[in-house]
Amino acid sequence: MDKKDLKTAVAALTPIGGVEADALRAWHNAAQARVNIQDALQALHNHALAALAATGGA
C-alpha cells in the first residue's frame, strides 16, 4: 500500500470490529470524510475541465 493512499487504508480498516474498531473509530471517521471530500473535489475538477473543453476554454 502506498504511504499516501488514504482510500486504500480506510477500505482496509473498514471490516475491523471489536475493541480495535473502537480505538480506530475517530481516525477512521475523519479519514473517510477526507476521502469523500477528495473524491468530490476530483469529480468537480473533472467536470470543470470537461466544461472548459466543450467550450474551447472560453
Side-chain angles (χ1 to χ4, degrees):
M1 175 172 32
D2 184 357
K3 286 183 179 181
K4 295 184 179 184
D5 190 358
L6 187 58
K7 186 180 277 192
T8 300
V10 168
L13 294 174
T14 296
I16 292 177
V19 176
E20 294 85 0
D22 293 339
L24 289 170
R25 185 165 289 114
W27 179 88
H28 188 268
N29 289 344
Q32 183 64 60
R34 182 173 177 154
V35 166
N36 293 344
I37 289 168
Q38 287 173 329
D39 286 348
L41 286 173
Q42 186 63 49
L44 182 60
H45 176 80
N46 292 342
H47 180 73
L49 289 178
L52 281 172
T55 62

